[in-house]
Amino acid sequence: MEGKVYTGEDYKTKFNPRDYLKTYYAFDSGTVAENEILKFLLNNLFETFSPGGVGGDILIDVGTGPTIYQLLSACEAFREIIVSDYLELNLREADKWLKKEPGAYDWSPAVQYVCELEGDRSKWQEKEARLQRTVTRLLTCDVNQPRPLGSAQVPAVDCVLTLLALECACRDVDAYQAAIRSLVGLLKPGGHLVTSVALHLQNYMVGHSKFFGLPLEKETVEKALQEAGCQVLKSQYSPINYSEAYCINEGLYFVVARKDPGA
Ligand SMILES: C[S@@+](CC[C@H](N)C(=O)[O-])C[C@H]1O[C@@H](n2cnc3c(N)ncnc32)[C@H](O)[C@@H]1O
C-alpha cells in the first residue's frame, strides 16, 4: 500500500461511499475475511441488544458511514435512533436505504442473517421496515470537536454506538481519548457506549484512495473508556484481519461499557 494517505478534510473529496460498501460489505458475494468480520460484528451486536441487554429510549450512532448493518439489532431495543457522520455524502447514502429509494444499497443478506440470529429469517422485510421508521434524524458530526454534534439539539442518550470510526478519525491517542470523552458526554448517567475497533490499524483503502488509520491496542481502548468514567462490561477480541489488499489491521475488538450511574 503506497501513495498519499488521506485524513481529516480529505474525507470530503476522497471517500467514495459506494466504493466503501462494495469493498467491505458485499457479504454474500464478498471475500471471506470481510464476511467474517461482518458476522463478528453482527453476532456481538445481536448479543448486546437482545432482550435484557442494552436498550432504552435513544441511541446515537457516531461515524455511521454509508452503512446500516450496525442498527439491525439495536432497532429492536430503542425507541429512536439518530445516525451521524462527518460526511453528508455518507448520510445521503444511508438515507437512500432508509427511504427505499431506487439505487439504494442492498442490505438484505445482512438483514436476513440478523433475522436468523433472532430466530426467524423470513421476517427480514419487517425488520427493514422497523429500522426505516426507527431512524428519526441524520446529523453531521465531528468527533474531533468537544461538541461532536455541533449546535444540534439532542437530549442525553441511553446509548452511543461507534463502530470502526474513531481509529479512522483521530490522529493520535490523545485525540482518541478526547473523542471518547466527548462521546461519553452525550450519554445519560448509566448509559452505554458500544464500540468496535480495528486494532493496530495502519491504512485502509476506499477505491484507489488510501486512508489513515490510528494503530490502537486493546488496553488503549479500555483505558480511554475508564478514564472517561466508564466501566467496561464486556469485551470480545477476534484475531480476524481484513484482506491485506484493502486494509492493514491486527484483529478486532468489540466493547460494551457503561457510564458511571452517579456521573
Ligand atoms: C471506516 S468508516 C466506518 C463506517 C461505519 N461505522 C462502519 O462500521 O462501516 C469510518 C467513518 O468515519 C467517518 N469519519 C471520519 N472522520 C470523522 C470525524 N472527524 N468525525 C466523525 N466521523 C468521521 C467517515 O466519514 C467514515 O464514515
Side-chain angles (χ1 to χ4, degrees):
M1 284 196 191
E2 288 173 6
K4 183 165 168 31
V5 179
Y6 297 115
T7 179
E9 294 248 323
D10 297 332
Y11 269 88
K12 293 185 178 162
T13 50
K14 300 293 179 189
F15 189 96
N16 181 310
R18 293 304 285 211
D19 284 343
Y20 180 71
L21 291 170
K22 217 167 38 194
T23 303
Y24 297 100
Y25 296 104
F27 209 30
D28 271 0
S29 55
T31 54
V32 173
E34 282 63 38
N35 289 350
E36 289 309 307
I37 288 171
L38 183 53
K39 281 191 217 162
F40 170 78
L41 296 171
L42 293 174
N43 293 348
N44 275 289
L45 290 162
F46 165 69
E47 278 174 29
T48 303
F49 297 118
S50 283
V54 175
D57 207 20
I58 307 178
L59 173 145
I60 181 158
D61 183 33
V62 177
T64 297
T67 69
I68 56 87
Y69 74 89
Q70 65 275 34
L71 310 171
L72 291 166
S73 293
C75 74
E76 308 291 339
F78 290 86
R79 191 181 55 80
E80 185 181 337
I81 291 176
I82 300 171
V83 300
S84 65
D85 197 83
Y86 187 63
L87 288 188
E88 293 269 8
L89 212 55
N90 278 340
L91 296 175
R92 179 73 204 101
E93 188 64 45
D95 201 34
K96 256 194 231 168
W97 184 86
L98 291 167
K99 294 206 172 107
K100 300 198 237 179
E101 287 177 15
Y105 195 69
D106 177 13
W107 285 101
S108 62
V111 183
Q112 286 169 21
Y113 180 84
V114 174
C115 287
E116 197 163 315
L117 292 176
E118 289 175 0
D120 191 350
R121 192 180 174 92
S122 72
K123 289 199 167 153
W124 66 274
Q125 281 158 316
E126 282 169 46
K127 181 177 281 296
E128 290 201 340
R130 186 181 182 97
L131 178 52
Q132 280 154 350
R133 59 174 187 267
T134 307
V135 176
T136 53
R137 297 171 75 184
L138 297 93
L139 302 175
T140 50
C141 72
D142 183 350
V143 297
N144 291 312
Q145 299 301 320
R147 298 183 59 198
L149 303 174
S151 57
Q153 295 292 315
V154 176
V157 301
D158 300 281
C159 184
V160 171
L161 180 67
T162 182
L163 301 192
L164 309 172
L166 300 186
E167 66 273 38
C168 301
C170 300
R171 85 196 72 82
D172 55 28
V173 170
D174 284 349
Y176 178 74
Q177 289 173 335
I180 290 278
R181 273 197 303 276
S182 323
L183 296 192
V184 171
L186 301 175
L187 286 171
K188 289 179 187 165
H192 291 85
L193 191 143
V194 178
T195 188
S196 183
V197 178
L199 295 171
H200 301 274
L201 181 64
Q202 290 180 32
N203 297 306
Y204 73 105
M205 299 299 295
V206 179
H208 295 294
S209 302
K210 190 198 301 181
F211 285 86
F212 168 83
L214 175 65
L216 290 172
E217 298 182 354
K218 286 186 260 185
E219 295 74 19
T220 320
V221 175
E222 293 196 8
K223 191 165 167 243
L225 287 163
Q226 283 155 358
E227 285 183 352
C230 290
Q231 184 193 357
V232 173
L233 301 181
K234 173 193 158 174
S235 58
Q236 187 81 36
Y237 170 76
S238 162
I240 326 171
N241 296 328
Y242 287 97
S243 304
E244 240 179 69
Y246 303 144
C247 177
I248 306 291
N249 73 306
E250 285 172 38
L252 276 128
Y253 207 36
F254 185 92
V255 183
V256 180
R258 186 165 186 239
K259 182 174 179 174
D260 180 356

